[in-house]
Amino acid sequence: MKRTGPVRVSEGRACELLRSPVITEKSTMASEHNQVTFRVPLDATKPEIKAAVEKLFDVEVTAVNTIRQKGKVKRFRGRIGKRPDYKKAMVSLAEGQSIDVTTGV
């Protein structure tokens, strides 16, 4: 079932969707091309992410790409543990738009 029309996101859900910005060397290089990377919940959809970014930051989003990162299996003092899975969203902004991720929402 495909949804038609714009997606509406409440203020609380919008804040919940954008958990934190990803600040790495790769995401910093992408910011030169009007892209911002956020950590989002595993159940977040692309239309929800787009609506949340547009609502919270008052910018125009052209595209949203997502990636699901599986958690690594690591050892600590001989015991095996697993890091949690997470999802990243790379948000492309319209020309002339920008988001300063170093400040709070």
Side-chain angles (χ1 to χ4, degrees):
M1 182 171 144
K2 197 165 195 171
R3 186 179 181 134
T4 58
V7 175
R8 292 194 181 106
V9 179
S10 68
E11 188 78 25
R13 177 68 176 159
C15 290
E16 180 185 318
L17 281 173
L18 304 178
R19 292 197 170 154
S20 65
V22 177
I23 301 174
T24 60
E25 188 174 352
K26 188 173 185 178
S27 68
T28 305
M29 289 190 308
S31 68
E32 296 173 3
H33 303 287
N34 288 346
Q35 287 187 332
V36 184
T37 306
F38 292 101
R39 209 170 209 184
V40 296
L42 289 172
D43 64 343
T45 63
K46 290 181 181 184
E48 281 182 329
I49 296 166
K50 179 179 179 179
V53 171
E54 287 178 344
K55 184 171 194 164
L56 289 177
F57 297 105
D58 292 326
V59 294
E60 184 180 342
V61 175
T62 56
V64 176
N65 297 330
T66 59
I67 183 171
R68 288 180 60 120
Q69 185 68 47
K70 299 287 186 179
K72 287 183 174 181
V73 175
K74 303 293 273 184
R75 291 179 184 269
F76 180 71
R77 293 187 179 177
R79 297 186 184 264
I80 295 178
K82 183 180 176 294
R83 291 183 182 168
D85 299 344
Y86 62 93
K87 191 175 196 177
K88 290 191 295 187
M90 286 70 74
V91 179
S92 298
L93 303 175
E95 195 66 36
Q97 304 276 327
S98 66
I99 296 175
D100 186 14
V101 294
T102 57
T103 60
V105 175

